[in-house]
Amino acid sequence: MAEHRFHLKANWPGLRNDVGEIETANLLTKVSIPPEMDGPGIGTNPDEMLLGAAATCYIITLAAMMERSQLDKVSLTMTSVGIVDVTNGTITYKKIIHRPDIVLKSSVTDGDFKLADKLANKAEKACMISRALQGNVTIDVYPTISAASE
């Protein structure tokens, strides 16, 4: 069994509405509470970072599945939304919605469209971050699949 470790250093010099920073091997950024939660909104925040982790894991997993299935794409882009519920002072990360936009080569078949749709939904279940969130955060996937114009 191989085990991978990822490290992060955090510095939070002040109180709730101050600004801290985080550093990993490939990321250095300021962090604070978002303005939607009465924070200063400087740098990123935990809500964006969770959305970013889920979105990047999903799109990389989908690209890998398409490659293994030899499903040729012209482009793979995506928008994602994280929905956070605040009820009676309790903050809950409720849902993530991924909307992948898959553009296949112009020579695609009906089978290619079906395979792309199947993989778009399967990638969410295969993604490590999605599995880590399972049972706590709902993740919905609404793919758009088209063929490139010639």
Side-chain angles (χ1 to χ4, degrees):
M1 177 171 112
E3 187 174 88
H4 303 285
R5 293 177 185 232
F6 299 92
H7 301 274
L8 180 142
K9 285 196 256 178
N11 177 29
W12 195 266
L15 302 174
R16 180 194 186 277
N17 279 342
D18 285 316
V19 178
E21 63 184 32
I22 57 169
E23 180 179 358
T24 67
N26 295 299
L27 175 69
L28 173 62
T29 188
K30 293 186 181 305
V31 291
S32 70
I33 295 172
E36 296 86 350
M37 296 177 185
D38 299 322
I42 297 172
T44 191
N45 59 68
D47 309 285
E48 287 178 343
M49 291 179 60
L50 182 62
L51 179 61
T56 54
C57 182
Y58 171 82
I59 202 166
I60 291 168
T61 301
L62 176 55
M65 293 173 112
M66 291 175 72
E67 180 182 354
R68 280 193 300 276
S69 297
Q70 297 180 335
L71 185 60
D72 288 330
K73 64 177 173 53
V74 173
S75 70
L76 173 58
T77 59
M78 187 171 74
T79 59
S80 295
V81 176
I83 299 169
V84 176
D85 180 59
V86 182
T87 303
N88 298 327
T90 301
I91 302 168
T92 305
Y93 213 113
K94 187 176 172 181
K95 181 187 279 195
I96 292 173
I97 301 168
H98 296 311
R99 295 185 189 280
D101 187 6
I102 303 167
V103 179
L104 301 172
K105 293 200 171 175
S106 59
S107 58
V108 294
T109 65
D110 284 345
D112 292 331
F113 278 101
K114 288 178 185 171
L115 179 58
D117 187 64
K118 176 183 172 186
L119 295 177
N121 288 289
K122 188 176 179 184
E124 186 273 316
K125 293 166 185 57
C127 162
M128 169 181 73
I129 301 298
S130 295
R131 289 195 321 267
L133 296 174
Q134 193 173 29
N136 292 307
V137 178
T138 301
I139 300 178
D140 292 334
V141 176
Y142 301 105
T144 300
I145 304 163
S146 61
S149 54
E150 294 194 33

